[in-house]
Amino acid sequence: AYPSAEQSYVGSDGFSWVAFERGDFTAAEAIFRRVAAISPQYPEPYIALAHVLQRTSRAAEAARAILQIVGSWRRPLPA
């Protein structure tokens, strides 16, 4: 079993990435979607979700996940 969404997304060491690396794309997708819903201001879960979607041959959905980040970006871009 995997921990809650709040506990699971801990950068590259999180359980969501463990699920991804094990090929459990269903679990990884569910975790990344929950984290994105909880913290929509952060781009990381959307980028991770795009990885899952691309890996499962859903390129159009992956592109939409990336476009969602671009459309909601509120922080200044680095110089």
Side-chain angles (χ1 to χ4, degrees):
Y2 299 102
S4 70
E6 296 88 349
Q7 297 167 334
S8 65
Y9 193 79
V10 189
S12 61
D13 297 324
F15 286 99
S16 47
W17 285 109
V18 171
F20 180 87
E21 290 298 322
R22 289 184 176 170
D24 189 352
F25 300 122
T26 301
E29 179 180 352
I31 293 167
F32 290 136
R33 285 189 186 279
R34 284 197 317 249
V35 174
I38 291 167
S39 302
Q41 71 275 23
Y42 296 109
E44 291 85 358
Y46 294 100
I47 294 167
L49 177 60
H51 281 290
V52 172
L53 295 170
Q54 181 68 31
R55 195 75 180 265
T56 56
S57 301
R58 296 183 287 171
E61 286 182 70
R64 284 193 293 275
I66 296 299
L67 289 174
Q68 191 165 352
I69 298 166
V70 173
S72 65
W73 191 263
R74 302 213 189 313
R75 292 183 272 173
L77 295 174

